[in-house]
Every structure is written in C-alpha cells, then in structure tokens.
Amino acid sequence: MNAQRIDELISTGDLSSDWRPSFLAIPRRQFIPDTIWRRDRTRSGPDLVALRRHEQPELWREFAEADDRVITQVDDGHPVGEDAGTAGTSAADAPGVVATMLRQLQVYGGERVLEIGTGTGWIAALLAHRLGADRVTSIEIDTETAARARKSLSDTGYGGVRVVTGDGASGYPQEAPYHRVIATAACSRIPYSWVAQTRRGGRIVAPSCALDYCGLLLALTVIENGSDNRDDNGTAIGYAIGQASFMRMRDQRLDPRDEVFISTGDEESRASVRETFLRPADVGDDGAVIAIGTRVPRCRMDYLPSPERNSSNGTLRLVDHNSRSCARLYYEEGSLGPYPVHQYGPRNLWDEVEAAHTWWVEHGSPGADRWRFTVTREGQRIDLAG
C-alpha cells in the first residue's frame, strides 16, 4: 500500500493519521510468503491454486500490494490436490480492513495489546512500530504459521514481539491484563476470556459470525470490573462498525457442505417464482443485515456477480443447507424492478428476509450503531438499543 492509498484512507476516516508512519514503514508485502494462493473458478475440483513468487514475480507482487486479502495457507498447510487446495485457512488481511480495525482499537501509546491470530505477523509489526515490540503479544494456533511469522518479525526488526503458539479462544492469561485485544479470526460468540483479560475501559476489536446472514466487525469496550481486579466479572458492550468477512476460528468452522449449496436441476424445476422490488443493497444495509440476521436464523447470504465483463448484474443467494432451502434474486443493473426471485425447499427464505426487512423499516430503519452487542460470563446477546 503506497503513500497515496494511505492518505486516501486517512481522508475517508478509515485510518487515523497517527498510524501513517507505521503503514509507511512496514509495507504488507514484506510479510507475504513466497507461495500464496489465488482462486481459479475455471477449474473443477480444488480451485485455490499456488502462485509462487519465483515463477510469476510480477503477478505475486500485484497480489501482495493489492488492497485485498491474500490467502497464505490452504487446507491447514496440507493442500488436498497437487498445487491446489479447497479452503483458505490463513490469510493476510486487506490493508483497508486492517486500517479500520487499528483505528477502532484506539491506541494512543503505552497500551499493551493481545492479538488473536498472528497470521503473517504484519499487524503485530504495525502495533510494535507504534507501541514497542515488548508491548505486543500475539497468539497463533498453527505451528508453521507461527514460526513463519516469528521469522518475518525478526527479519524486519520486530523480533521482540511475543508470538505464542496456542488456541486464541483462551487468550493468553500469562501476560494479562491487556489494554487492547484485536482478533483476525471470526467467532460466533466473543470468548469471555478476552473480556476477562482486558482492563476496565479497554477495547476489543474482532470479527463476528454471530449472525449466519452476514459477517460483522465489532468494537467493544470493557466496563464494570474487568480483570484489573481479577474477579472476572467484566462486561463488554459495543456495536458493529461494518460488515466483514474473515476466516472462522478453527473450532467454529462450518461443515464443508455448508460452504457451497449444490442444488439439483430437479429442485430448481420445483422452485416457486415471485417478484420483489427490494434490491440486494436494500437487504445488505449495515443496519438491515443485523435486523435480518437476528430474525431469520440459519440463513446465509452471498452475492454472486455476473461473469460478464464490466457488468453490475448479479444474483443474491440465500441458503439454509440444513433444510436444503435456497432463494435467488436476479438483479439487473439500472433496473427499477421488479426483480425475479426463485425459492425452493421447505423454507421460503426470501419471504422471511423480506418480512424482517419490513420489520426493520417499520422500526425506523435503525443503523448498525443502534444494535448493541453485550458479552458477559453468561454469554453474548444482541439487542436494539433505545
């Protein structure tokens, strides 16, 4: 990410200017391994193919410097095919997303930070540049990934970062309490250990997959007692700061069948067809997705862009694998509707989503900043703040 892109992020408010020196000093490409993985949808079978720096240096550099996620490991380091894998299991996050997370982390100097999911080590290096390596602890569940991150951090002058191999869901109590916790793996519920290991007034920034409908990025503040009193009675309260798609923590991964819903021609032939004036953007609004996600369980949403070049046409797909229900809305760029919707399976998923959207509108279309996430020892809840 060059200086121009960094300044653009600052101008849009996605990055605070005090992070500019760190982003300039530590380009992400220094932490990208020589072999990365890119998706080739023309392949049958495993479609994540190896891209090696020495074989395609220009293409490798293009990926390494792009403002997009780079997959750095597939199938937990053991690709199922020759030079091809089925699932990304570690990645370097998109610089724009990292910028947002670090801005929301609200560090000012002197804080001690726990990172959940070291990955390449880039975020740990950014934190170390800003705060000092001795104030950063990072935990990574994958042994090989952790070892590679340690080497990258050492090679770039940040070997003082403590990189622990272990399960980030448990945090790292040996160095607690922390002023800040940042996670790069999505979880259905924020582990209470992170709250217990954070000081009162501390921040937790983490991706959440609490709603099947979409992924969210949460920013929480620890209130009440917190672990500076060591009584584990702290509570974290916060809000979604946007939508985000992150790989899940290993113990919360989906069954592989849930990743792609494969419909048969027979199911499609029995689909009911209706029309709607709702667009994908309507049911993808940051506030609407939380309302829909809380009211329509076991429903996953994704948007499949048209393969046509320079086209904004596409298909919004809703899936419940367990009941083998699916709905597809076909969107055409520039059209004012109505848009055709095909539904099949025991659940009419589009009807449920449309009803939830209607509820959201009738309640004043509350934005993401009205949906409060609360984490206590008893669990996590989502409610509409007054």
Side-chain angles (χ1 to χ4, degrees):
M1 188 164 59
N2 58 32
Q4 180 181 350
R5 177 57 180 149
I6 294 170
D7 289 338
E8 287 175 358
L9 290 170
I10 292 172
S11 67
T12 58
D14 294 307
L15 180 67
S16 52
S17 59
D18 47 8
W19 278 105
R20 188 176 192 274
S22 299
F23 274 78
L24 284 174
I26 309 170
R28 185 182 68 164
R29 67 174 180 275
Q30 293 182 344
F31 291 82
I32 302 296
D34 289 340
T35 298
I36 57 178
W37 304 82
R38 61 189 180 97
R39 194 169 297 281
D40 181 358
R41 298 190 184 279
T42 65
R43 292 173 58 98
S44 58
D47 63 354
L48 284 169
V49 297
L51 170 58
R52 297 184 174 85
R53 185 176 189 174
H54 71 276
E55 294 176 348
Q56 297 177 280
E58 293 303 319
L59 185 57
W60 180 93
R61 187 180 181 91
E62 180 182 331
F63 272 77
E65 296 185 347
D67 192 1
D68 202 356
R69 181 170 70 177
V70 176
I71 296 174
T72 56
Q73 184 195 71
V74 296
D75 304 330
D76 294 330
H78 304 284
V80 299
E82 184 176 353
D83 290 338
T86 58
T89 49
S90 189
D93 296 312
V97 174
V98 171
T100 296
M101 295 179 75
L102 291 177
R103 177 177 63 84
Q104 290 290 338
L105 200 61
Q106 297 181 6
V107 300
Y108 305 105
E111 292 90 352
R112 298 179 63 257
V113 180
L114 172 65
E115 179 191 26
I116 309 296
T118 313
T120 64
W122 181 51
I123 295 177
L126 291 169
L127 289 163
H129 183 273
R130 179 77 186 276
L131 301 172
D134 62 330
R135 306 192 74 80
V136 180
T137 299
S138 186
I139 186 164
E140 169 60 50
I141 195 169
D142 187 271
T143 302
E144 292 183 6
T145 299
R148 188 169 59 238
R150 289 189 193 99
K151 183 177 186 306
S152 296
L153 285 162
S154 178
D155 290 347
T156 52
Y158 298 99
V161 171
R162 181 191 294 271
V163 177
V164 179
T165 303
D167 185 357
S170 301
Y172 191 66
Q174 291 88 328
E175 294 292 321
Y178 305 95
H179 299 90
R180 303 288 187 268
V181 174
I182 182 171
T184 59
C187 47
S188 58
R189 293 181 179 272
I190 300 296
Y192 187 72
S193 60
W194 301 355
V195 179
Q197 293 171 31
T198 303
R199 290 181 181 274
R200 186 189 322 169
R203 297 273 286 181
I204 299 172
V205 175
S208 169
C209 53
L211 304 178
D212 293 323
Y213 189 67
C214 66
L216 300 170
L217 190 59
L218 305 182
L220 310 172
T221 299
V222 175
I223 63 172
E224 298 178 5
N225 295 318
S227 66
D228 46 344
N229 289 339
R230 298 290 184 178
D231 57 10
D232 288 357
N233 289 325
T235 296
I237 295 179
Y239 300 85
I241 54 176
Q243 297 181 50
S245 176
F246 282 76
M247 295 175 184
R248 293 184 178 226
M249 300 189 80
R250 290 200 175 184
D251 65 348
Q252 297 184 20
R253 288 176 180 170
L254 298 173
D255 185 291
R257 295 172 303 168
D258 290 332
E259 292 296 334
V260 179
F261 182 84
I262 303 174
S263 60
T264 66
D266 183 53
E267 287 171 321
E268 183 72 47
S269 68
R270 297 200 305 269
S272 62
V273 182
R274 53 162 295 193
E275 294 182 330
T276 183
F277 281 93
L278 280 180
R279 302 166 300 160
D282 296 326
V283 296
D285 176 278
D286 283 354
V289 296
I290 303 176
I292 295 169
T294 56
R295 299 179 71 82
V296 185
R298 302 181 308 282
C299 175
R300 299 183 63 202
M301 172 187 71
D302 57 22
Y303 186 74
L304 310 175
S306 168
E308 303 168 12
R309 190 176 180 85
N310 299 323
S311 171
S312 297
N313 298 348
T315 302
L316 179 73
R317 183 175 62 180
L318 309 173
V319 175
D320 171 15
H321 175 84
N322 291 333
S323 68
R324 292 193 64 82
S325 300
C326 186
R328 303 175 194 267
L329 181 154
Y330 299 94
Y331 176 77
E332 185 175 344
E333 181 183 12
S335 171
L336 299 178
Y339 312 107
V341 178
H342 292 219
Q343 301 184 102
Y344 48 92
R347 299 177 65 186
N348 288 325
L349 290 174
W350 180 256
D351 293 358
E352 293 183 37
V353 165
E354 195 171 66
H357 183 271
T358 298
W359 178 92
W360 176 69
V361 171
E362 290 175 347
H363 284 74
S365 304
D369 59 353
R370 292 274 311 284
W371 291 94
R372 182 173 53 211
F373 290 72
T374 304
V375 183
T376 66
R377 174 177 288 281
E378 287 69 40
Q380 176 177 298
R381 68 177 186 271
I382 307 169
D383 55 10
L384 187 58

